[in-house]
Amino acid sequence: MSLKLFLARRRSRAIARILPSVVILSWFATSTETSIAAERGRDPWVFRMIFENRSRMLVMALRSDLWAAYNPANGSLYKVWNGGIEYHGKVYDFGQRNSKALGQVYHRCEKSSLLEATDESVIPSGWTTEGIATGAESWTLTNSNSELVTRSFDTRRYDQVMVTYRTPGGNNRLLVDVSTDNGLSWNAQTWMSIDAPAEDGHQKRLAVTAEQVKLRFRRNTTGSTATLADLVVMGDYQVWSFQKDGQMVFPKVDWRGYRLSGQTDGVTLLYDLILPDETRISVAETPEQVVGAGMTRKFEILGLPADSRVSLELDGTGYQAAHQLAGAGSLRTENDDTFLDFVTDGSSTLTTTWTP
Amino acid sequence: MRLLAIVAMVLATAHLGWSQEKAMRPGVTVWVYELGEELRELPLLVDGQTPNVSGYYPAVDFSGAWETIYNSSLEQYYLGHAWGNLIVETGGTYTFRLTSDDGAKFYIGDSAALVVDDDPAEEGGRSASLNLLPGTYPFYVDFYQNTGDARVLLEWKPPGAQDFVPIPESSLETEDGLTHVTSPGLKNYYYEEGAGGSAGGPGDGRPLIGVHPGYDLINFRPSDFHPAVGGMDFLPDGRLAICTWDNTGSVYFLDGLDGDSPATVHRFATGLGEPLGLKVIDGVVYVTQKQEVTKLLDTDGDDVADEYLSVAHGWPASFNYHEFSFNLVQKDGYLWVTTSVPLRTGNTAYLPGSEPAFPVPHGPGSLLRIDPQNRTWEIVANGLRTPNGMGVGVDGELFCSDNQGEWLPSSRLNHLVPGNYYGHREDPDVELPYTRPALWLPHGEISNSPAEPILIPSGPYAGQMLIAELTHGGINRAFLEKVKCEYQGAVFQFTQGLECGMNRLVWGPDGSLYAGGVGSGGNWNWNGTTYGLQRLKPNGRTTFEMKSVRARADGIIIEFTQPVPYSCIGSVANYSLQQYHYEPESTYGGPKYNVESLAASYADVSLDRTKVYLNIPGLKEDRVIALRLKNFVNESQVAPWATEAWYTMNQLPEDAGADFTVMDPPPESQIPVSPDVSILYEAESAENIGPVTATEHAGYTGSGYSDYGNAAGQIIRWNIVSTHAGDHQVAFRYANGGTSARPLVLSVNGSVLTTLQFSPTSGWADWVTTNVVVVNLNKGTNTIQLSSAGSTGPNVDSMSLIGPSAAPSSAVVLFDGTAASLLANWKRDQDGARPSWSVEGGALLVNTSPSPNDISTIAGYNDFTLHLEWLSPTGGVDQLGGNSGVKLRRSYEVQILNSAAGIALANDSAGAIYQLKAADLNASLGAGAWQSYDIDFTAARWSGTTKIENAKVTVRWNGVKIHDEVEIPAPTGASLAEASGLQPLLLQAHASDASGPVRFRNIWIIPKDTFSQHWQSWLESQGIAWSTGVEYQDSDHDGLPNLWEYAVDGGATANDDGVSRMPTMKLVEDDEQVYMEFEFVRRADSAAIGLRYSLQTSESLDFGSWTNHPASQIGPAVPIGDGHLERVVLKMDEPVTGLKRIFARLQAELIE
């Protein structure tokens, strides 16, 4: 009998080489105009991915502990956080889910979702239900008359509104109806979701828009059980607005791309705001980290028509934000919302710091 | 219970420190493949096929049938593969026990650290032990099932445990998030050893193994650069730009592609989101990412992209992982991109209701046309599923491949035209007319996931297309033609032997084809590969294969790359044909419907023998025609590179027949030819250890010759495969411009044979061939080498190897020079004992004692083609002159004797049908020479125990026809009486005074299907199980018994196609007499499949009261439709005038 040595290895696949997310920090404090970059938090440090169920996002690892994600569809800063990314997807772990942020969220665009109901142990406020049992994992529609009706939400300032939810367990067939008149009638849009594995979720684009949209969930007659969990209605909120002659409009955002300076010195996002008469206002936004939980965003606006104002809604959930502005713009607070305004072409640097 | 005690030390690895790992889940993944026939042991699966069942299971504990998504359960005749990782928490000795029915094997660890083999299955299972340290270990269990109970159970006894327990789910894990790709239908398999299985060799029912001989494979990427290639194009400066589908999403430039060192790699851009298309336009790199086409600009000249500008973006898409944006093609001033549909673990994601059912409609599964000036996009075609691969093909038109799945029964190549809908539904219940593919790519046979198509600009296949293939691996070749203004054509296997499943193709400035590969988890890869980048450089060699297949109204025309001997290309038996039909269905993939065998009725060959028109009755539209060549060789006895082609017959053209001048079949040769063949082996293609390949002196064959250096012991070594063991001859072509002989030592299989003196020739450009030397070879691989004995050697150009020819691939080899083939196939005819004839030097020697000592085959045959070689030595007089014979069915002898050439022959000389007929010509090569018989034999036909037709035979002696369809009315000489059924061949041990025994070698036979086998195949194709009396049953209750349905090509279980198959009878008056006439429809090939029609009458209808009556056919048979049916009138010879009451019937009978 001979002794042999065998190596037990993981089956070797070309798993992507990802650099560990901790790198040595070295930078110098200097004026905000020419901040010299820290070592970035990843290579590549500016990248596109499906992130938290939104496609085409632009993510940047400004620093190993300062990450920002922009949404090119609406020219908004979607999220700022500190803990890196849990990577999922065919090019990350061969899986079917997508990536999400880790760690502490400093900023999340306040209106990035219209409705989030992820605690199934309660009935969310403003909902009406019949025959629904709460639970740790899901709401259960216990009989053929069961239904859940959400509170109403306003979709008028959103593009690409997606309804996402899960139906844990087997043999789940839910009928979903949409009302655009606050629940008086239910034939604006309807669909049926059929069985899916528990990990996988359902997603459907809302084809209708109104001030008072509600969703209703019922059992389909062929399903013998039905559950609902993690209902999130998300969309691309119109953060940019334009006012002239007392009229307010919400320009369409045309993503133009981005510029890198050096390889890691900085990044500038480029997008156009298109007014109803096809006039384009170009925006160049250069984000950069500042020490601690903070960011500068330098905006350059070009092509603003005379006697008009273009505004960016800044609010976010997460930490408390404190803004300081230098340059051509101004800050304005109105009805609990904070805006960065421009009335002329020019550049302006917004410095935001976040505290818990 | 047998305990195999294998004890080994196993080390677990240190954690490798990846910050990201593959997603895993508990349990095992199981793939089950339906094989459809009795398995003699655990079979091997042909590469590149998808399973019928794919799913996750908590443990290796299976019994009973497997549910499929195709509305059937899989109960019998299948192969299963369960795999995953075993998680070991506690170190120590683990004993594994595998229990199975019918058989299984368990492998654990990379390179099978432990194998538990329970095949054949044993009572209580089998077990084995292994010492394991904590860690995870890849494992798999292969299992198979014939009929009856099915069971697979894997148990273990962890350290310290007393009893076996099933390995629990918590100790098993497997990859999560797999797309469970499946397809219905039977899969191909073979066995590790020996014959059997449904596949032939590589390129013949199985994927190719190597690189196409017309290309040299060149590796140029640095070994530490592992690109998963999503797009490729060349920059104006000759560098190659590639983008990678990986977690960095980068663009690299490769330089120095042609040098001796690996290419240099420079990263130009990074951070793209799954880039799957790349195009260089006016020197600028454009890429396609998920839902954006991006232009990459280097504005400061440092060769790194500074601007990532959006050219077009924002077409409708959800965040589903499978909504890819593929390709980037420039055509007509636009950029073209395709998108794929959302999937939920393999099935299309549908939420049907008031809107189209995709999560986000009007975008996925489309062709987009992008205006790069205005930065706008427009969806111009849809109904695609996963169109990974698009390119400009024939006629400058746009083509894309599409991957099998829901609504796509098999992968396909589409001709893209704006406005078309290609069949993948956005709403599962909405059926719309869809555009047929230019090519169907039958699933698992030629393709699983086709990728980029590209036009071939030059060379022998100019104007055709190549299609990269991702999970089946390699690259396929497509020939397209236009029939009634739409593209259709044929697909062929082209190359394998690459380092990855291939995704993208581009032609380089040096004329090479660059291929970039990719792969992911689960089934989304070829052999587990995930990256690759190589190139194929054309080397100018012509490869023997089918060049094209074109459609005619009534057949097909095949063109070959080289001329084919007439006897091969003109023989309809060498073309195996089938047609079937695909229907889009909601299941993942779909079966072949209406599978029908076809047969060519005749072949017309072109004057240069590179083209053949096959007339094929019964061709239908909206079908795939599957063609497989059998026993095909070119003039140098080389088999085709691949034997299969799949022609997509969407429409039949108007034109019929051949479109070239047809040659007359060549007259039979009257010059006898030795059965020996000579195969040339170039010295420069051999293993040269010391000698270098040179071209300085003209007159060599091939690409050069081997030039010995100035040292002893330099070697030219040929590694050859011989299909026949025993004596062969070798001769060498060489030049020696020196003044003295230059000896080389000849060794065979490691043993020195002799030293050959290579005498001076009249100059270095004067090439001569040595005399032959006898060498003894093994069956299988051999080495023959020449090594320098002195301080130099001659220039050696080539070696010729002379010996018996190889048997055709479909032949059963009865004797191949080995004692094993004698024992496996032959018995002593007298008593069935082991034959006592000996084998020497690869020849079978007749042994006449103890008399009678004839040998006969263990198997029996009916009709067949037989080849055998014999040598009758000198000496002996008349019938004692080296007498032997081959007796067909033991009843009909073809004589063997040492008859000299040139003499008049009698009916007992060599070549005679013994005592019946002398050979038409004397084709003898004389006593002591190897000679051949090629015999085409048709057995007598029987109706019950009555012989109704005589046996017939055609014999060629050394290639010369000496008997042409000669009828043999009775057993020859004293041979055995005739009988029906399968009968063996017999070789005679006859008294002889010759100088030595008669010898045989190279015996093979190709049996033809008996009529009974043909009938059984038809029953199987109709889904009817054979049972006694099945021919009289009426399985579809339409009044026609099964045998009649067979005879008239009706559907035994389906409706007949509008032509009534009921025979009609009428009474006709002729010359004041009344006769019965039957008119009926039958298959045009009835006689060829053993069907005989007779008229019978009875007075009472009682069983046994029917009597046959002679009948004659009135007029010729009239073809119906495409000619595979004909209408026939039979008139009874005797009148029925005056009979008051008579019952009559038309009977179809299957004769033997």
Side-chain angles (χ1 to χ4, degrees):
Chain A
M1 203 171 358
S2 61
L3 284 172
K4 294 182 200 174
L5 279 155
F6 291 97
L7 240 67
R9 297 195 303 279
R10 295 175 203 288
R11 192 182 306 183
S12 58
R13 301 244 179 193
I15 296 176
R17 294 195 177 97
I18 300 172
L19 296 179
S21 58
V22 177
V23 288
I24 296 165
L25 210 65
S26 67
W27 68 290
F28 307 95
T30 175
S31 74
T32 52
E33 284 283 283
T34 54
S35 55
I36 297 177
E39 293 264 348
R40 301 302 183 184
R42 183 182 184 242
D43 175 33
W45 69 284
V46 176
F47 50 97
R48 306 292 294 278
M49 66 171 0
I50 303 178
F51 182 70
E52 299 191 352
N53 286 349
R54 294 161 199 266
S55 60
R56 296 178 54 225
M57 298 290 280
L58 179 73
V59 181
M60 53 193 68
L62 291 163
R63 210 172 60 216
S64 62
D65 63 345
L66 189 73
W67 295 67
Y70 279 86
N71 186 351
N74 62 359
S76 70
L77 175 63
Y78 166 65
K79 195 174 247 193
V80 181
W81 72 101
N82 73 353
I85 292 179
E86 186 181 293
Y87 296 94
H88 294 291
K90 278 291 165 187
V91 293
Y92 296 108
D93 65 353
F94 295 140
Q96 297 180 12
R97 294 187 284 157
N98 56 77
S99 303
K100 62 183 197 191
L102 290 171
Q104 183 58 50
V105 174
Y106 299 145
H107 162 86
R108 182 174 174 216
C109 176
E110 183 184 60
K111 295 171 182 151
S112 58
S113 60
L114 296 89
L115 186 153
E116 284 190 11
T118 56
D119 179 1
E120 296 85 16
S121 64
V122 298
I123 302 291
S125 94
W127 290 34
T128 53
T129 61
E130 186 185 317
I132 300 297
T134 59
E137 296 295 324
S138 61
W139 297 291
T140 305
L141 289 80
T142 57
N143 61 64
S144 56
N145 293 323
S146 294
E147 63 177 49
L148 287 127
V149 175
T150 66
R151 62 162 171 80
S152 75
F153 49 91
D154 185 349
T155 62
R156 294 172 301 163
R157 290 280 303 277
Y158 287 85
D159 298 304
Q160 180 90 341
V161 178
M162 295 289 294
V163 176
T164 74
Y165 55 98
R166 293 194 307 115
T167 55
N171 199 24
N172 283 307
R173 286 155 192 251
L174 278 186
L175 272 178
V176 186
D177 306 301
V178 182
S179 167
T180 46
D181 54 12
N182 202 25
L184 288 176
S185 63
W186 289 100
N187 39 28
Q189 184 179 351
T190 185
W191 68 82
M192 181 172 73
S193 61
I194 51 181
D195 305 335
E199 313 297 317
D200 218 347
H202 304 282
Q203 24 165 316
K204 189 73 179 165
R205 181 164 171 268
L206 269 193
V208 293
T209 186
E211 186 181 354
Q212 293 178 311
V213 176
K214 283 189 171 181
L215 301 174
R216 179 176 71 180
F217 296 87
R218 292 177 297 161
R219 266 165 71 159
N220 175 266
T221 49
T222 62
S224 60
T225 65
T227 63
L228 178 68
D230 290 339
L231 174 65
V232 175
V233 181
M234 66 174 76
D236 296 330
Y237 178 66
Q238 293 160 346
V239 292
W240 288 93
S241 55
F242 175 83
Q243 184 160 303
K244 185 177 163 78
D245 302 330
Q247 297 267 25
M248 169 100 64
V249 296
F250 302 99
K252 185 158 158 294
V253 175
D254 178 16
W255 166 251
R256 304 303 303 244
Y258 57 93
R259 270 193 215 116
L260 294 173
S261 70
Q263 299 203 30
T264 56
D265 290 345
V267 62
T268 299
L269 282 63
L270 307 164
Y271 39 93
D272 291 346
L273 308 175
I274 310 179
L275 301 176
D277 64 356
E278 305 285 326
T279 312
R280 286 175 174 249
I281 303 166
S282 76
V283 180
E285 178 177 341
T286 306
E288 188 52 272
Q289 55 86 35
V290 294
V291 68
M295 247 177 93
T296 57
R297 297 162 73 182
K298 176 178 167 190
F299 292 88
E300 287 179 59
I301 306 290
L302 193 62
L304 190 62
D307 301 322
S308 68
R309 180 186 76 187
V310 71
S311 308
L312 172 64
E313 199 173 321
L314 296 175
D315 303 280
T317 56
Y319 274 15
Q320 185 74 23
H323 301 295
Q324 274 179 290
L325 194 60
S330 59
L331 287 170
R332 164 173 61 93
T333 304
E334 198 175 299
N335 296 333
D336 268 344
D337 292 328
T338 309
F339 297 88
L340 170 62
D341 291 334
F342 289 88
V343 295
T344 58
D345 286 353
S347 83
S348 190
T349 301
L350 175 73
T351 305
T352 308
T353 49
W354 290 283
T355 47
Chain B
M1 192 198 312
R2 196 188 311 160
L3 195 73
L4 294 168
I6 300 173
V7 179
M9 290 284 290
V10 184
L11 293 176
T13 60
H15 181 68
L16 292 171
W18 297 131
S19 57
Q20 187 77 51
E21 289 173 1
K22 228 181 290 179
M24 303 299 278
R25 53 170 291 149
V28 302
T29 305
V30 181
W31 293 329
V32 186
Y33 301 82
E34 185 177 3
L35 303 180
E37 49 192 30
E38 178 89 12
L39 303 164
R40 62 171 159 83
E41 62 185 45
L42 189 64
L44 295 170
L45 197 64
V46 169
D47 267 350
Q49 301 181 98
T50 47
N52 301 67
V53 175
S54 172
Y56 294 121
Y57 294 82
V60 183
D61 182 356
F62 314 120
S63 52
W66 298 84
E67 288 311 306
T68 76
I69 63 174
Y70 306 108
N71 291 324
S72 60
S73 63
L74 191 45
E75 291 173 1
Q76 57 188 27
Y77 303 129
Y78 58 78
L79 169 70
H81 178 72
W83 58 275
N85 286 340
L86 191 68
I87 303 168
V88 171
E89 312 259 84
T90 316
T93 306
Y94 286 77
T95 307
F96 295 93
R97 182 168 71 183
L98 180 67
T99 309
S100 69
D101 179 357
D102 288 80
K105 278 191 195 170
F106 163 62
Y107 300 78
I108 184 174
D110 292 327
S111 43
L114 178 69
V115 178
V116 180
D117 187 342
D118 193 39
D119 175 38
E122 217 185 48
E123 189 71 40
R126 293 187 200 196
S127 61
S129 301
L130 194 61
N131 271 359
L132 295 172
L133 293 176
T136 61
Y137 300 87
F139 79 90
Y140 64 94
V141 176
D142 281 344
F143 55 96
Y144 75 99
Q145 164 71 358
N146 281 318
T147 55
D149 293 333
R151 187 89 180 91
V152 186
L153 176 63
L154 184 64
E155 301 165 291
W156 67 0
K157 224 190 314 187
Q162 298 288 62
D163 300 310
F164 283 105
V165 294
I167 302 183
E169 187 177 4
S170 52
S171 298
L172 296 167
E173 65 171 16
T174 186
E175 271 182 55
D176 196 8
L178 292 181
T179 305
H180 289 293
V181 177
T182 59
S183 67
L186 298 182
K187 308 296 147 80
N188 284 323
Y189 71 98
Y190 54 104
Y191 294 106
E192 192 159 357
E193 291 277 342
S198 55
D204 179 24
R206 277 160 66 179
L208 296 165
I209 287 178
V211 174
H212 193 276
Y215 292 79
D216 295 331
L217 181 66
I218 297 176
N219 292 302
F220 60 90
R221 66 168 174 85
S223 57
D224 60 352
F225 179 55
H226 297 164
V229 178
M232 288 200 292
D233 201 359
F234 275 87
L235 296 162
D237 62 8
R239 291 186 294 172
L240 175 65
I242 71 169
C243 62
T244 57
W245 185 68
D246 62 11
N247 71 345
T248 68
S250 303
V251 174
Y252 296 95
F253 293 164
L254 279 80
D255 203 357
L257 301 167
D258 287 339
D260 290 328
S261 332
T264 59
V265 178
H266 164 73
R267 192 172 81 181
F268 175 68
T270 186
L272 300 164
E274 300 191 52
L276 287 165
L278 185 149
K279 186 88 189 125
V280 174
I281 302 173
D282 297 329
V284 174
V285 175
Y286 289 69
V287 290
T288 301
Q289 321 183 42
K290 258 189 172 161
Q291 287 85 36
E292 180 174 312
V293 172
T294 310
K295 179 160 95 166
L296 302 171
L297 291 180
D298 168 23
T299 51
D300 59 5
D302 66 348
D303 212 25
V304 172
D306 309 296
E307 297 195 354
Y308 292 59
L309 301 179
S310 159
V311 174
H313 66 91
W315 42 88
S318 76
F319 54 84
N320 185 275
Y321 79 98
H322 198 267
E323 289 187 23
F324 296 102
S325 294
F326 294 115
N327 309 304
L328 190 54
V329 174
Q330 185 192 28
K331 184 172 127 66
D332 303 334
Y334 292 103
L335 300 179
W336 304 77
V337 166
T338 54
T339 61
S340 54
V341 302
L343 298 187
R344 272 183 309 112
T345 60
N347 295 317
T348 305
Y350 285 125
L351 296 96
S354 57
E355 288 288 306
F358 284 168
V360 172
H362 308 310
S366 300
L367 172 67
L368 275 79
R369 184 173 67 190
I370 290 166
D371 181 341
Q373 296 305 117
N374 296 324
R375 298 180 58 248
T376 54
W377 54 265
E378 189 189 343
I379 290 175
V380 294
N382 61 3
L384 300 168
R385 184 179 171 275
T386 307
N388 170 32
M390 174 166 62
V392 173
V394 302
D395 301 330
E397 290 292 305
L398 205 56
F399 290 86
C400 82
S401 55
D402 204 352
N403 285 214
Q404 183 246 21
E406 279 185 57
W407 310 115
L408 210 51
S410 185
S411 298
R412 35 187 279 180
L413 181 74
N414 295 316
H415 173 219
L416 291 176
V417 175
N420 282 356
Y421 164 70
Y422 289 89
H424 186 282
R425 302 184 187 184
E426 199 168 49
D427 284 296
D429 300 322
V430 175
E431 185 177 348
L432 298 165
Y434 71 99
T435 303
R436 296 293 188 275
L439 289 180
W440 286 107
L441 306 172
H443 195 71
E445 296 179 55
I446 184 82
S447 176
N448 283 3
S449 326
E452 183 164 1
I454 195 171
L455 187 66
I456 305 174
S458 58
Y461 310 103
Q464 298 191 14
M465 293 170 63
L466 294 173
I467 309 173
E469 171 51 49
L470 216 162
T471 55
H472 197 75
I475 301 172
N476 296 318
R477 173 169 60 89
F479 163 81
L480 291 178
E481 57 176 348
K482 265 192 157 164
V483 171
K484 297 180 177 161
C485 303
E486 298 292 340
Y487 288 107
Q488 57 185 52
V491 62
F492 310 93
Q493 295 193 60
F494 179 67
T495 192
Q496 286 281 0
L498 307 174
E499 67 178 356
C500 186
M502 284 307 175
N503 194 33
R504 297 289 181 255
L505 302 172
V506 68
W507 292 100
D510 68 335
S512 294
L513 179 70
Y514 284 73
V518 91
S520 187
N523 291 31
W524 280 26
N525 60 72
W526 175 72
N527 286 351
T529 56
T530 54
Y531 60 85
L533 182 61
Q534 298 174 295
R535 72 169 186 266
L536 293 163
K537 196 176 165 77
N539 57 29
R541 282 195 212 119
T542 308
T543 301
F544 175 53
E545 59 186 330
M546 288 184 275
K547 182 169 168 184
S548 67
V549 176
R550 290 181 292 123
R552 303 300 277 173
D554 53 357
I556 58 176
I557 292 177
I558 308 171
E559 183 174 355
F560 295 89
T561 54
Q562 291 173 326
V564 179
Y566 186 89
S567 57
C568 178
I569 193 175
S571 171
V572 295
N574 288 348
Y575 303 94
S576 170
L577 293 155
Q578 206 185 54
Q579 67 184 354
Y580 47 85
H581 168 69
Y582 282 118
E583 264 314 316
E585 294 178 335
S586 62
T587 52
Y588 195 110
K592 300 172 187 168
Y593 282 110
N594 306 112
V595 179
E596 298 169 279
S597 289
L598 297 168
S601 57
Y602 65 88
D604 283 339
V605 180
S606 65
L607 293 172
D608 63 357
R609 289 179 284 106
T610 61
K611 291 196 270 250
V612 61
Y613 156 75
L614 298 176
N615 175 275
I616 306 171
L619 276 184
K620 295 180 179 149
E621 296 190 325
D622 201 15
R623 294 288 189 278
V624 172
I625 314 295
L627 163 69
R628 188 161 160 188
L629 304 173
K630 300 202 294 198
N631 306 325
F632 239 79
V633 287
N634 67 2
E635 288 173 328
S636 312
Q637 298 291 305
V638 172
W641 173 239
T643 61
E644 296 170 287
W646 292 265
Y647 186 91
T648 297
M649 189 74 78
N650 290 327
Q651 299 180 92
L652 288 165
E654 297 292 337
D655 295 332
D659 64 354
F660 48 79
T661 308
V662 177
M663 68 175 282
D664 293 322
E668 288 281 342
S669 168
Q670 299 197 343
I671 301 171
V673 172
S674 161
D676 280 331
V677 293
S678 177
I679 304 176
L680 189 74
Y681 295 92
E682 295 289 352
E684 63 273 17
S685 306
E687 217 183 320
N688 280 271
I689 307 161
V692 297
T693 301
T695 52
E696 191 191 334
H697 302 292
Y700 53 84
T701 60
S703 53
Y705 54 88
S706 289
D707 183 350
Y708 281 86
N710 299 331
Q714 296 202 334
I715 296 172
I716 306 173
R717 180 180 295 145
W718 286 274
N719 296 297
I720 61 160
V721 173
S722 176
T723 55
H724 198 283
D727 289 345
H728 290 66
Q729 298 174 322
V730 292
F732 301 94
R733 186 166 187 264
Y734 76 98
N736 178 0
T739 51
S740 51
R742 297 188 178 198
L744 297 175
V745 177
L746 172 66
S747 306
V748 177
N749 291 327
S751 304
V752 171
L753 192 61
T754 185
T755 302
L756 297 175
Q757 302 295 331
F758 288 79
S759 311
T761 62
S762 59
W764 287 109
D766 178 30
W767 301 87
V768 303
T769 305
T770 64
N771 292 330
V772 297
V773 178
V774 175
V775 299
N776 187 287
L777 297 182
N778 303 320
K779 179 174 156 184
T781 53
N782 295 269
T783 59
I784 300 177
Q785 74 182 38
L786 292 173
S787 55
S788 53
S791 60
T792 188
N795 289 341
V796 177
D797 183 28
S798 62
M799 169 180 76
S800 294
L801 178 69
I802 300 143
S805 55
S809 53
S810 62
V812 175
V813 174
L814 295 174
F815 179 72
D816 61 8
T818 63
S821 65
L822 171 65
L823 291 175
N825 294 291
W826 300 86
K827 62 188 188 303
R828 191 165 176 272
D829 188 60
Q830 172 77 350
D831 58 5
R834 285 161 67 118
S836 63
W837 294 19
S838 60
V839 175
E840 276 175 32
L844 176 61
L845 275 52
V846 173
N847 181 1
T848 51
S849 74
S851 180
N853 209 26
D854 301 338
I855 65 172
S856 56
T857 54
I858 295 169
Y861 306 97
N862 207 44
D863 298 351
F864 54 81
T865 298
L866 171 69
H867 173 91
L868 63 104
E869 295 171 22
W870 55 272
L871 184 156
S872 181
T874 58
V877 170
D878 294 335
Q879 291 298 295
L880 293 175
N883 190 323
S884 178
V886 53
K887 297 196 182 185
L888 315 174
R889 296 175 66 84
R890 293 194 288 169
S891 297
Y892 318 110
E893 181 181 352
V894 180
Q895 174 71 302
I896 288 172
L897 204 65
N898 61 12
S899 311
I903 60 169
L905 297 176
N907 69 10
D908 57 5
S909 311
I913 301 173
Y914 185 68
Q915 292 188 339
L916 178 68
K917 177 176 175 285
D920 291 341
L921 286 165
N922 185 333
S924 176
L925 290 169
W930 281 102
Q931 314 203 43
S932 68
Y933 282 152
D934 285 286
I935 298 174
D936 275 314
F937 177 73
T938 304
R941 299 298 183 231
W942 302 80
S943 174
T945 51
T946 310
K947 185 166 74 159
I948 54 172
E949 270 175 50
N950 287 328
K952 287 196 288 278
V953 72
T954 296
V955 181
R956 285 183 173 77
W957 182 10
N958 296 324
V960 177
K961 196 190 288 193
I962 56 169
H963 300 292
D964 189 358
E965 289 289 288
V966 173
E967 267 194 47
I968 312 176
T972 60
S975 298
L976 208 60
E978 301 168 289
S980 65
L982 303 177
Q983 301 292 338
L985 280 171
L986 183 144
L987 296 178
Q988 191 187 44
H990 192 284
S992 167
D993 287 343
S995 56
V998 169
R999 297 160 186 259
F1000 292 95
R1001 73 177 194 192
N1002 204 11
I1003 308 176
W1004 51 261
I1005 188 167
I1006 303 176
K1008 296 194 188 121
D1009 268 355
T1010 60
F1011 297 143
S1012 168
Q1013 286 168 329
H1014 204 270
W1015 158 241
Q1016 300 226 17
S1017 298
W1018 180 86
L1019 284 172
E1020 271 169 39
S1021 74
Q1022 300 290 312
I1024 301 173
W1026 187 90
S1027 58
T1028 316
V1030 66
E1031 52 267 39
Y1032 308 114
Q1033 293 166 11
D1034 177 11
S1035 295
D1036 66 351
H1037 310 294
D1038 67 352
L1040 295 178
N1042 291 334
L1043 184 64
W1044 195 266
E1045 298 271 16
Y1046 176 54
V1048 301
D1049 195 30
T1053 53
N1055 293 330
D1056 299 330
D1057 50 18
V1059 178
S1060 171
R1061 303 300 207 274
M1062 274 297 184
T1064 56
M1065 192 275 284
K1066 63 183 188 201
L1067 297 173
V1068 296
E1069 262 197 46
D1070 183 8
D1071 211 12
E1072 292 175 11
Q1073 299 277 24
V1074 179
Y1075 296 88
M1076 260 191 221
E1077 254 186 29
F1078 280 81
E1079 184 176 331
F1080 61 105
V1081 168
R1082 69 179 184 195
R1083 292 170 61 137
D1085 61 351
S1086 292
I1089 58 172
L1091 288 166
R1092 185 163 162 265
Y1093 302 88
S1094 41
L1095 298 187
Q1096 298 181 327
T1097 62
S1098 162
E1099 307 220 336
S1100 66
L1101 290 179
D1102 289 339
F1103 184 81
S1105 67
W1106 294 91
T1107 52
N1108 279 352
H1109 294 272
S1112 308
Q1113 187 170 318
I1114 303 296
V1118 175
I1120 298 171
D1122 56 16
H1124 81 287
L1125 291 177
E1126 57 188 17
R1127 201 175 293 281
V1128 168
V1129 177
L1130 280 186
K1131 179 174 163 195
M1132 199 181 291
D1133 292 344
E1134 302 155 12
V1136 293
T1137 323
L1139 288 176
K1140 289 283 187 285
R1141 183 184 80 166
I1142 190 81
F1143 297 101
R1145 71 180 182 187
L1146 177 64
Q1147 189 195 55
E1149 179 194 351
L1150 196 63
I1151 61 179
E1152 281 189 64

